[in-house]
Amino acid sequence: MVCLLSACTLYAQSDNFYGTTPDTLAAFDNADREADYQQFYGEAEEDDEVLSKAIVHGSSSGLVNTRPTSSDNNEPCKIWAILLTDTKDESIGEDDRLDNLALNKELKGIAQCLGMEISINNIVGNAAYHKCNLVNAIKAIRPSKNDIVFFCFNGHGFRWDNQKDKYPNICMMGPNDDVKGNYVLTTDIYNALVALKARLTICFTDCCNAKVGEYAPSQKDNTLYSRAHTRVSKKRMRDLLLNTQGSILATAANPGEYAWSFGGSGSAFTQSFIAQLRKEVSASNTAPVSWERLMDNTIKSARKKTADCENTQNGIRYIKVKGAK
């Protein structure tokens, strides 16, 4: 069995990015997570009018067709998401389950904020061990030229000794399965998603990028929590996701590194991404939105969280976007 640590996340994030003083807590219960989510997404700041080119589809649907900067593109915008999550592994399954729940919550909050349709394909449990389920999920995505495709893997990952590609292979095998034939290269997933020709493609893998068979011991909880004291800005969210086209590829660790999680309180990468996403679209942020800053801050935050681990993780990112740089 390949034993490599990965991933989970929580809705409430650290880094003190809302200007509050964080407290170290052993746990953050479900009620607190839900309250934090509602605090941020429940009442979005109305700091920007929906421009005249936005079309409301149907009097009862409430779905808003918003890509206001494009004079010739009034197509509806939909989020297509695939969340591939290893929830059955004995070492990381519970953390991955929390990660999946958090990402589901965050994506639905974004869709609600922007008035968009969303389709989330959760490949979890035993289904996550079969490569054909990922292939079929990608085939099932039929984006229009104005849609968003989002993919995230939370589970085990590795690299071969002679591997030239710097991105990891993701494991798709059960506890007693051979790794050979039961893995997919991150870059291949990214290329398959980009080939769908959505307006914006986002592909993340939160997994180790170390030699196959290496083990990262579980770490103690080092997570700092702070309650969100601001709300999402609809204008900033539109600028980041609707007024942008291109693709983003990122993974949690450089070649030879582990992707750390902290015993039920979250993984460094996924936790940091949600925190930095909220910071980027916060109504209190006055800088122009930037995918480069968002991802650089995600990697920087994850590096800081793992500074005391035996192998500090440094993520990798590739950004090719027009609009929000």
Side-chain angles (χ1 to χ4, degrees):
M1 173 182 174
V2 178
C3 195
L4 308 174
L5 274 187
S6 179
C8 95
T9 190
L10 296 174
Y11 308 146
Q13 303 303 324
S14 60
D15 292 348
N16 196 21
F17 61 83
Y18 291 121
T20 60
T21 302
D23 298 318
T24 301
L25 302 176
F28 204 60
D29 64 29
N30 290 332
D32 282 337
R33 293 174 189 161
E34 180 65 21
D36 179 80
Y37 167 81
Q38 293 297 339
Q39 174 73 22
F40 191 76
Y41 283 112
E43 298 180 16
E45 291 287 335
E46 292 288 356
D47 55 356
D48 181 46
E49 294 182 0
V50 177
L51 303 184
S52 59
K53 291 187 181 297
I55 301 173
V56 177
H57 291 272
S59 59
S60 62
S61 71
L63 296 179
V64 180
N65 172 20
T66 41
R67 193 178 177 203
T69 60
S70 177
S71 60
D72 61 352
N73 186 355
N74 285 322
E75 292 186 1
C77 184
K78 177 178 178 177
I79 298 174
W80 302 77
I82 299 174
L83 301 182
L84 176 58
T85 314
D86 183 355
T87 59
K88 288 292 186 179
D89 185 88
E90 292 182 359
S91 62
I92 61 172
E94 177 59 20
D95 283 349
D96 287 348
R97 185 188 69 83
L98 292 174
D99 184 56
N100 177 270
L101 291 174
L103 288 173
N104 270 274
K105 198 78 169 177
E106 213 70 21
L107 289 169
K108 290 175 182 177
I110 291 169
Q112 177 183 337
C113 172
L114 295 176
M116 297 169 60
E117 185 180 354
I118 185 169
S119 172
I120 303 178
N121 190 342
N122 287 289
I123 305 175
V124 299
N126 291 331
Y129 293 140
H130 300 284
K131 190 162 56 175
C132 63
N133 292 326
L134 172 59
V135 172
N136 290 335
I138 294 175
K139 288 181 177 179
I141 296 178
R142 308 272 178 156
S144 74
K145 61 182 179 180
N146 198 29
D147 288 349
I148 299 168
V149 171
F150 179 91
F151 172 85
C152 188
F153 169 73
N154 291 87
H156 289 311
F158 71 95
R159 65 185 302 101
W160 300 111
D161 289 341
N162 60 350
Q163 182 172 320
K164 295 181 179 180
D165 193 302
K166 63 184 178 180
Y167 287 88
N169 302 293
I170 68 168
C171 294
M172 300 193 70
M173 59 192 184
N176 299 316
D177 295 335
D178 191 339
V179 67
K180 293 183 179 179
N182 293 309
Y183 67 92
V184 184
L185 181 64
T186 293
T187 306
D188 288 341
I189 299 172
Y190 168 75
N191 288 334
L193 295 173
V194 169
L196 298 173
K197 298 183 178 180
R199 175 175 48 79
L200 182 63
T201 302
I202 303 166
C203 179
F204 295 152
T205 51
D206 191 347
C207 60
C208 290
N209 199 358
K211 181 179 178 180
V212 62
E214 289 188 354
Y215 174 75
S218 180
Q219 298 298 296
K220 294 181 179 179
D221 181 3
N222 76 340
T223 308
L224 301 177
Y225 299 97
S226 59
R227 179 61 58 83
H229 285 185
T230 188
R231 293 189 175 95
V232 62
S233 159
K234 287 186 177 181
K235 179 182 184 303
R236 295 186 65 81
M237 189 73 85
R238 283 195 288 269
D239 286 345
L240 187 71
L241 292 174
L242 298 181
N243 300 335
T244 304
Q245 59 182 343
S247 60
I248 297 126
L249 170 64
T251 196
N254 268 315
E257 295 177 350
Y258 304 131
W260 294 95
S261 61
F262 294 93
S265 66
S267 71
F269 181 81
T270 306
Q271 179 180 343
S272 295
F273 169 71
I274 292 181
Q276 295 305 322
L277 171 66
R278 289 191 179 189
K279 181 177 181 180
E280 198 63 38
V281 299
S282 167
S284 64
N285 194 336
T286 59
V289 296
S290 167
W291 271 107
E292 289 187 355
R293 181 176 58 241
L294 193 166
M295 296 312 302
D296 286 345
N297 286 342
T298 295
I299 291 171
K300 180 180 178 180
S301 174
R303 183 187 304 123
K304 181 178 180 181
K305 293 177 191 300
T306 61
D308 293 333
C309 299
E310 65 180 66
N311 182 316
T312 301
Q313 85 182 53
N314 298 274
I316 312 169
R317 58 79 162 172
Y318 169 78
I319 300 172
K320 184 180 180 180
V321 297
K322 296 179 181 179
K325 297 292 186 180

